[in-house]
């Protein structure tokens, strides 16, 4: 029988901010795979890590759980028509339009763009002195996604976009947006005038680009794919829907992919055997099997997104409990990925776990799961492996400090506490 302990569960999130993730682990240890809590701004909730329970949630019949409502915290950035907050039918439609442009064969041209960006990042990094790599990776990921989404590849052309996007994202990844979302019914978001001004300035650029495309300046990029789409009645996607998809894709790349890459570097520099093997296989021109395993394992031990969730629409039995309508189900990804029944010695960074196998089932979900699995998961892995290849080819990497970087929880993200602070040295004969 599960221990429910809703009041103890409610104390987990603030305690985690002070004491770290071991609080969550201890609570799961007491209660099994699920416990109850109350989350400010969200309300009655359950937190889950058991793969069997997660499977039950993700495969629930239509109309039993909602997979958009819990993503509303992203609305200030991606808008009300963004992919993550669209209803089931709208989400399915936009995904079907996007997927051909995000399949592996269609992404081959992105490898060259990513290689150029990675080389530019390496050239810009100081040598022989500690520095945070994270900010450079975030910038590079936005540049990569601008190329894919809007066809913007020249540094000069992207500069204005980068400034406008930074002004939107900079306040939106901190604690303020989470607090304001929790207080949204009291005007927490509506009264955030400085953020609204920044977002409107960014929106003007997006709408101006859409206007140019409408006037005949078509391009073969993701925005072009979306603009050429028609529904069953021959109608095009509205400008608002197009804007929200552009911001959805950029936001995802900036946070999820850049953070995943930063954590991958952070783990590699503290595991020299894995870094050495990756470098040697890259030098030998081997296939990317080990690089893929490195990415899988980094995404397991340090998932860049802290949670994903669903909301109960109709009474739903889960783990021996009947959840009432309105209850939020929160999947805690780090706890799931560190379940010792799934991964022996779960805290260890061992890319070898994945050699000859791919993640499957419901025990590895850094890109979410079910119908809401991130549409850009293949793109993220391509970018991560390309950057790793260019870094190991050109420089040697070392940690700035011996200790692991702590996990810093910001909004819904798990960030490296020191922003991936490393030391680089030029490799003899490196590119």
């Amino acid at each position: 029988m599960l221990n429910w302990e809703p009041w103890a569960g409610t104390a987990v999130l603030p305690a985690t901010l002070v004491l770290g993730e071991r609080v969550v682990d201890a609570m799961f240890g007491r209660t099994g795979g699920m416990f109850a809590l109350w989350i400010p701004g969200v309300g009655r909730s359950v937190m889950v890590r058991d793969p069997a329970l997660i499977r039950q949630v993700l495969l629930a019949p239509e109309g039993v759980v909602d997979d958009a409502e819990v993503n509303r915290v992203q609305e200030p950035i991606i808008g009300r028509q963004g992919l993550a907050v669209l209803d089931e039918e709208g989400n399915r439609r936009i995904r079907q339009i996007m997927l051909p442009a995000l399949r592996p064969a269609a992404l081959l041209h992105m490898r060259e763009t990513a290689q150029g960006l990675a080389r530019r990042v390496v050239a810009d990094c100081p040598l022989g002195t500690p520095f945070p790599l994270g900010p450079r990776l975030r910038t590079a990921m936005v540049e990569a996604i601008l190329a894919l989404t809007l066809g913007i590849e020249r540094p000069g052309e992207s500069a204005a976009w980068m400034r406008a996007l930074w002004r939107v994202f900079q306040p939106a990844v901190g604690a303020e947006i989470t607090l304001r979302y929790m207080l949204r019914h009291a005007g927490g978001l509506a009264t955030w005038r400085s953020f609204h001004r920044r977002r409107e300035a960014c929106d003007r650029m997006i709408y101006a680009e859409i206007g140019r495309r409408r006037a005949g300046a078509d391009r073969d990029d993701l925005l072009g794919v979306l603009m050429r789409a028609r529904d069953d009645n021959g109608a095009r996607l509205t400008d608002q829907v197009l804007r929200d998809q552009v911001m959805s894709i950029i936001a995802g790349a900036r946070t999820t992919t850049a953070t995943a890459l930063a954590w991958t570097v952070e783990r590699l520099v503290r595991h020299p055997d894995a870094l050495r093997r990756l470098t040697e296989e890259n030098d030998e021109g081997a296939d990317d099997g080990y690089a893929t395993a490195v990415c899988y394992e980094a995404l397991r031990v340090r998932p860049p997104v802290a949670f994903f969730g669903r909301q109960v629409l109709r009474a739903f039995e889960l783990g021996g409990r009947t959840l009432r309508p309105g209850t939020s189900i929160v999947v805690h990804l780090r706890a799931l990925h560190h379940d010792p029944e799934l991964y022996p010695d779960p805290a260890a960074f061992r890319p070898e776990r994945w050699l000859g196998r791919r993640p499957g089932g419901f025990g590895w979900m850094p890109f979410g799961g079910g119908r809401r699995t991130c549409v850009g998961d293949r793109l993220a892995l391509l970018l991560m492996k390309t950057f790793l290849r260019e870094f190991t080819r050109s420089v040697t990497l070392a940690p700035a400090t011996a200790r692991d970087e702590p996990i810093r929880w910001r909004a819904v993200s798990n960030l490296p506490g020191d922003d991936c602070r490393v030391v680089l040295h030029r490799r003899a004969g490196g590119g």
Side-chain angles (χ1 to χ4, degrees):
M1 182 69 177
L2 286 172
N3 295 312
W4 199 231
E5 304 185 86
W7 292 108
T10 299
V12 162
L13 295 182
T16 298
L17 291 174
V18 177
L19 302 174
E21 293 282 357
R22 64 182 181 275
V23 177
V24 175
D25 294 336
M27 194 63 186
F28 276 123
R30 287 170 60 86
T31 62
M34 179 175 75
F35 61 84
L37 70 162
W38 184 87
I39 303 175
V42 176
R44 186 175 58 251
S45 307
V46 294
M47 190 164 282
V48 181
R49 79 165 181 186
D50 186 323
L53 299 180
I54 295 169
R55 181 182 188 279
Q56 189 178 343
V57 172
L58 296 182
L59 299 182
E62 187 173 345
V64 174
V65 298
D66 176 79
D67 54 8
E69 185 61 32
V70 292
N71 294 323
R72 298 289 175 196
V73 68
Q74 302 179 49
E75 266 191 17
I77 298 292
I78 68 173
R80 295 181 178 178
Q81 300 294 319
L83 192 63
V85 297
L86 283 173
D87 62 25
E88 185 175 337
E89 181 54 37
N91 180 275
R92 183 187 300 116
R93 179 188 173 210
I94 297 296
R95 289 174 69 92
Q96 287 174 343
I97 295 170
M98 286 186 180
L99 280 173
L102 293 170
R103 289 187 177 126
L107 289 174
L108 288 177
H109 72 283
M110 277 300 298
R111 182 172 287 126
E112 290 186 11
T113 299
Q115 287 172 342
L117 289 170
R119 289 166 187 162
R120 194 168 359 130
V121 170
V122 171
D124 184 53
C125 290
L127 298 176
T129 186
F131 74 99
L133 182 58
R136 290 170 169 83
L137 296 179
R138 288 191 289 274
T139 298
M141 289 303 106
V142 175
E143 290 188 78
I145 214 66
L146 282 173
L148 174 74
T149 308
L150 300 172
I152 296 170
E153 299 190 37
R154 295 189 299 274
E157 188 181 7
S158 67
W161 285 93
M162 296 292 293
R163 286 193 298 271
L165 290 165
W166 182 85
R167 285 173 59 79
V168 173
F169 289 127
Q170 189 268 335
V173 297
E176 184 174 4
I177 193 169
T178 303
L179 179 61
R180 285 183 175 275
Y181 180 78
M182 291 176 177
L183 299 174
R184 64 194 182 282
H185 299 304
L189 291 172
T191 59
W192 199 4
R193 294 187 178 87
S194 62
F195 173 74
H196 292 308
R197 286 194 298 270
R198 295 177 176 201
R199 186 182 61 190
E200 288 163 5
C202 188
D203 287 354
R204 284 194 292 272
M205 296 180 67
I206 297 174
Y207 286 127
E209 180 65 20
I210 293 171
R212 284 191 290 272
R213 306 291 185 95
R214 297 275 194 221
D218 193 14
R219 299 176 75 166
D220 189 21
D221 49 34
L222 195 52
L223 178 58
V225 169
L226 290 166
M227 293 188 70
R228 289 191 290 271
R230 299 290 186 273
D231 66 17
D232 294 339
N233 298 318
R236 301 182 298 188
L237 299 179
T238 67
D239 288 4
Q240 179 71 58
V241 172
L242 292 171
R243 175 266 174 212
D244 290 356
Q245 305 326 311
V246 169
M247 287 302 287
S248 294
I249 297 163
I250 294 173
R254 184 188 185 278
T255 53
T256 307
T257 308
T259 302
L261 183 54
W263 274 125
T264 303
V265 173
E266 189 277 342
R267 291 290 77 199
L268 279 170
V269 296
R270 287 170 175 81
H271 294 83
D273 289 344
L275 179 57
R276 187 180 306 110
R277 177 169 178 178
L278 179 66
T279 302
E280 290 173 352
E281 295 199 4
N282 183 36
D283 289 345
E284 295 167 1
D287 63 34
D288 65 359
Y290 192 71
T292 301
V294 165
C295 294
Y296 286 164
E297 182 70 347
L299 288 164
R300 183 191 69 80
V301 295
R302 295 291 189 273
V305 176
F307 317 105
F308 73 83
R310 301 290 187 266
Q311 189 172 66
V312 177
L313 299 177
R314 299 205 311 260
F316 179 54
E317 185 174 329
L318 185 68
R321 296 279 176 170
T322 299
L323 306 184
R324 291 182 288 167
T327 302
S328 293
I329 303 170
V330 181
V331 177
H332 193 290
L333 289 172
R334 196 210 59 83
L336 168 67
H337 290 179
H338 284 71
D339 185 340
E341 293 189 9
L342 296 174
Y343 303 102
D345 197 5
F349 179 73
R350 293 178 182 165
E352 292 74 17
R353 296 179 201 266
W354 302 103
L355 291 177
R357 60 180 286 232
R358 294 170 57 88
F362 295 85
W364 185 90
M365 312 189 84
F367 299 109
R371 294 182 293 266
R372 297 281 170 169
T373 300
C374 176
V375 71
D377 53 355
R378 292 189 182 98
L379 172 63
L381 287 167
L382 173 76
L383 292 172
M384 290 170 68
K385 289 188 287 187
T386 302
F387 268 71
L388 290 177
R389 184 180 301 112
E390 293 303 319
F391 267 72
T392 56
R393 179 177 295 160
S394 303
V395 294
T396 61
L397 301 105
T401 59
R403 65 171 177 80
D404 293 349
E405 291 196 24
I407 298 172
R408 187 171 77 237
W409 182 25
R410 297 277 296 274
V412 296
S413 298
N414 293 317
L415 304 176
D418 299 325
D419 222 349
C420 190
R421 195 167 180 83
V422 295
V423 181
L424 303 187
H425 293 279
R426 185 71 60 189
R427 281 188 68 187

